[in-house]
Amino acid sequence: ISFKSTVINIPNPNVIYNYGTGTYTFTVDPAQQPVTQSTNSNTVTTIVNKSDSTLTKQVDKPYATTNDIVTYTLVAKNTGTVTLSNITINDILQSNLQFVTDSVIVNGVSKPGFNPNNGFSISDILANGSSTIVFQAKVISVPSNYTILNTGTMNYQYTLIPGGQSYSDSRTSNTVTTIVNTVSVTNTKTVDKAYATSESILTYTSTIKNNSTISLNNTIFTDVVPFDSTFVTGSVLIDNVSYPSYNPQNGFTVGTFT
């Protein structure tokens, strides 16, 4: 007697058990009722394997500026029932980043010479196991859209049946984002008279421009009046609004520059 069945789910644990039962009747004494008995077979097992994995990524700085160091962490998890082997990790850094030499750490162990731009191999990951890869990069320039994106990839092989065919697969991580902010401020000064005489009134104008990607807060303006002149009380204007009590020699708050 033989029959076939199709595996439709992966059991947990991943073993299918099966046995058969034979039920029969027999008559020992024709004058008596038939006897019914059953016999169970031995149990046979089939291990049901599958290969699956995840690759997740994190970055320690959602915001940064030039010369900051950002730390990337990749976690590769084997969510299948067979070992992942011949694993390679690749992580191509955006041109605004510079890999920090010898910063790769795999499962807490430093790996000098490893470079995610070139790719590197890591040890096999057993079923239900994981590996953690950490490395650093330096922000060396500002992207045109002020955003650095980063994604990692993992390539690996697996075998579902011991001694059987080897298969290849890959995973791409989620994309992490770092916004690169810049601070750039210009302060341009002009005077209305290139020549003057005694008792002339000189008007100084300072134009402060925020070229940054972020606001400037708690801005204080200070300007020491030249030794051979005296400040004209009540003459301060900010965006054409008079501030009679302000004196540039003492400094005053000009608020937030967006």
Side-chain angles (χ1 to χ4, degrees):
I1 301 170
S2 67
F3 64 92
K4 297 179 180 180
S5 67
T6 300
V7 178
I8 59 174
N9 290 306
I10 307 295
N12 186 18
N14 60 316
V15 180
I16 291 178
Y17 298 90
N18 182 262
Y19 66 90
T21 301
T23 301
Y24 51 89
T25 62
F26 59 91
T27 302
V28 176
D29 184 347
Q32 302 293 324
Q33 293 292 324
V35 178
T36 299
Q37 289 186 353
S38 62
T39 300
N40 291 333
S41 73
N42 58 300
T43 299
V44 293
T45 61
T46 300
I47 297 174
V48 183
N49 280 328
K50 71 168 184 174
S51 173
D52 204 356
S53 64
T54 61
L55 185 65
T56 56
K57 178 154 224 178
Q58 292 180 323
V59 63
D60 69 328
K61 289 185 175 68
Y63 298 93
T65 189
T66 51
N67 296 318
D68 276 356
I69 301 295
V70 293
T71 300
Y72 291 109
T73 301
L74 278 166
V75 178
K77 288 186 178 181
N78 181 353
T79 56
T81 62
V82 294
T83 299
L84 307 184
S85 59
N86 299 322
I87 305 169
T88 58
I89 299 295
N90 290 82
D91 199 314
I92 306 300
L93 297 178
Q94 200 167 306
S95 61
N96 310 97
L97 292 174
Q98 181 182 67
F99 170 64
V100 176
T101 303
D102 295 338
S103 66
V104 174
I105 298 174
V106 180
N107 295 328
V109 179
S110 178
K111 298 292 183 179
F114 280 22
N115 187 325
N117 286 303
N118 303 328
F120 53 81
S121 298
I122 63 173
S123 300
D124 293 355
I125 305 177
L126 302 179
N128 298 314
S130 65
S131 287
T132 301
I133 301 99
V134 179
F135 66 90
Q136 294 181 319
K138 182 179 181 180
V139 181
I140 58 173
S141 62
V142 181
S144 58
N145 62 352
Y146 307 106
T147 302
I148 291 177
L149 304 176
N150 184 261
T151 305
T153 59
M154 173 177 67
N155 295 278
Y156 59 90
Q157 293 180 321
Y158 63 91
T159 301
L160 294 176
I161 300 174
Q165 181 179 351
S166 179
Y167 300 91
S168 298
D169 206 348
S170 63
R171 290 292 181 272
T172 300
S173 76
N174 55 299
T175 299
V176 293
T177 303
T178 297
I179 304 298
V180 181
N181 285 320
T182 61
V183 178
S184 175
V185 182
T186 58
N187 186 355
T188 305
K189 187 161 198 172
T190 61
V191 63
D192 67 329
K193 293 182 177 66
Y195 300 92
T197 61
S198 180
E199 304 300 324
S200 291
I201 301 295
L202 305 179
T203 300
Y204 294 104
T205 301
S206 289
T207 302
I208 302 172
K209 186 176 181 180
N210 181 13
N211 303 304
S212 311
T213 58
I214 54 178
S215 297
L216 305 179
N217 303 310
N218 303 315
T219 308
I220 297 175
F221 179 81
T222 304
D223 194 323
V224 179
V225 175
F227 177 76
D228 294 312
S229 63
T230 183
F231 170 65
V232 177
T233 302
S235 64
V236 173
L237 298 176
I238 300 177
D239 294 332
N240 293 319
V241 178
S242 177
Y243 290 83
S245 64
Y246 281 14
N247 187 327
Q249 297 191 108
N250 301 328
F252 49 79
T253 300
V254 290
T256 298
F257 283 76
T258 57

